[in-house]
Amino acid sequence: MSDVVSRLDVLKTYKLYVGGKFPRSESGRVYEVTDAKGEWLANAPLGTRKDARDAVVAARAAVKGWAGTTAYNRGQVLYRVAEMLQGRREQFAAEVALSEGVGAKKAAALVDAAIDRWVWYAGWTDKVAQIAGGANPVAGPFFNLSTPEPTGVVGIVAPQAGYGHSLLGLVSVIAPAIATGNTVVVAAAADAPLPALSLGEVLATSDVPGGVVNILSGRTADIAPTLASHQDVNALDLTGAIAADGPGAAGGLEELAADTLKRVIRPELDPFAQDWTNAPGTDRLLSFLETKTVWHPMGI
């Protein structure tokens, strides 16, 4: 008789990441996540509209503390995320490879690029004011100063398709928003949520305060409209939405966002054409900033 006993793999059931904690979905439901070949990988929580509303509450509660943190300290926190992600590099490379159907070498390169992107945005936190603000010339004995301030709570439809979307694309939309003092609620890629949910575990063990980043998995058509119409969400990044009309597509989401005058980033017409390995530039850093202008007399 053989001493080797066959066994079933213990597949992981992931949790949402909301308010610095890992709750189950309000519905109690999960869905099967499969790899590019259709093999069952794990269970992911099926987030609901109630979960999205709870995440917005957590994000709003974190705004004051995070926006009030010094830019230098925010840079330190983002760098710490890069350190923690580096420590779990092999796990993320495996998840990206399975999620996107790429080889181990390409997956590792995408994870390295995601780590570098955290570092890149960490370096920008205390420099944004220098390119988004300044002293304005006026005809009179006054100082006129413009300074950037975070918009507040940003709802993000994370990239849902394309090379590098599951982690590098995700980091590329989260990092610039929180680098400038915003908090975010993210609808992860429905078909490849594992790197996003694992990123929640990294954030929880780094120095990011609870509520600054909230990550939901599930049907984007359920989560995105709630974020778009929510009165306590100040801005919307529709990068992962389909550039078309309809309730869960960009056109419909923009209509919902218009009721509360949200600032909106529109998606690319072809999400597969977006190359997340390209240099990010400063556009996203500046997208969710408001400008406060102050007048002050020079004195005698």
Side-chain angles (χ1 to χ4, degrees):
M1 182 175 178
S2 174
D3 293 331
V4 178
V5 179
S6 62
R7 58 180 296 275
L8 296 174
D9 288 334
V10 180
L11 298 178
K12 183 174 181 178
T13 297
Y14 287 75
K15 305 280 193 348
L16 304 173
Y17 181 60
V18 176
K21 299 178 181 179
F22 296 95
R24 299 180 186 275
S25 170
E26 174 268 340
S27 68
R29 299 170 63 192
V30 298
Y31 68 100
E32 292 183 6
V33 179
T34 58
D35 63 16
K37 297 179 180 179
E39 296 290 331
W40 186 17
L41 295 176
N43 299 310
L46 191 64
T48 65
R49 291 175 295 219
K50 175 63 164 58
D51 293 316
R53 292 195 295 269
D54 289 345
V56 172
V57 171
R60 174 57 61 189
V63 165
K64 184 176 181 180
W66 184 241
T69 300
T70 65
Y72 177 74
N73 184 242
R74 283 201 300 272
Q76 291 179 310
V77 171
L78 264 66
Y79 189 84
R80 178 61 176 165
V81 176
E83 291 179 337
M84 299 300 290
L85 190 55
Q86 179 71 46
R88 297 174 63 168
R89 179 177 178 271
E90 292 185 6
Q91 173 202 341
F92 277 92
E95 288 183 343
V96 169
L98 291 170
S99 297
E100 300 188 30
V102 298
K105 188 174 181 179
K106 283 189 175 181
L110 289 170
V111 174
D112 289 342
I115 295 168
D116 293 345
R117 193 137 301 173
W118 277 114
V119 174
W120 194 83
Y121 281 115
W124 268 107
T125 56
D126 58 355
K127 301 173 182 66
V128 171
Q130 299 171 43
I131 63 171
N136 308 310
V138 294
F142 301 97
F143 293 112
N144 182 259
L145 306 174
S146 294
T147 58
E149 294 186 340
T151 299
V153 177
V154 179
I156 297 176
V157 181
Q160 307 281 314
Y163 175 63
H165 73 285
S166 65
L167 180 63
L168 178 57
L170 178 77
V171 170
S172 297
V173 295
I174 292 178
I178 67 171
T180 51
N182 298 290
T183 62
V184 299
V185 179
V186 184
D191 62 340
L194 301 190
L197 297 172
S198 291
L199 181 63
E201 297 174 359
V202 167
L203 296 172
T205 54
S206 63
D207 298 326
V208 180
V212 171
V213 178
N214 305 275
I215 300 175
L216 308 175
S217 62
R219 290 188 289 263
T220 306
D222 291 338
I223 299 169
T226 302
L227 298 179
S229 62
H230 202 297
Q231 294 187 7
D232 216 15
V233 174
N234 304 109
L236 204 60
D237 184 343
L238 298 180
T239 295
I242 300 171
D245 294 326
L253 296 174
E254 283 189 85
E255 289 182 12
L256 292 173
D259 287 341
T260 49
L261 303 178
K262 290 178 176 62
R263 185 174 295 190
V264 175
I265 291 181
R266 295 178 175 180
E268 297 284 339
L269 290 176
D270 181 4
F272 286 96
Q274 187 151 5
D275 187 353
W276 292 106
T277 62
N278 289 336
T282 58
D283 288 350
R284 288 185 180 276
L285 277 169
L286 305 178
S287 293
F288 300 125
L289 287 174
E290 307 295 334
T291 300
K292 178 176 72 176
T293 300
V294 177
W295 290 76
H296 193 281
M298 289 183 181
I300 300 175

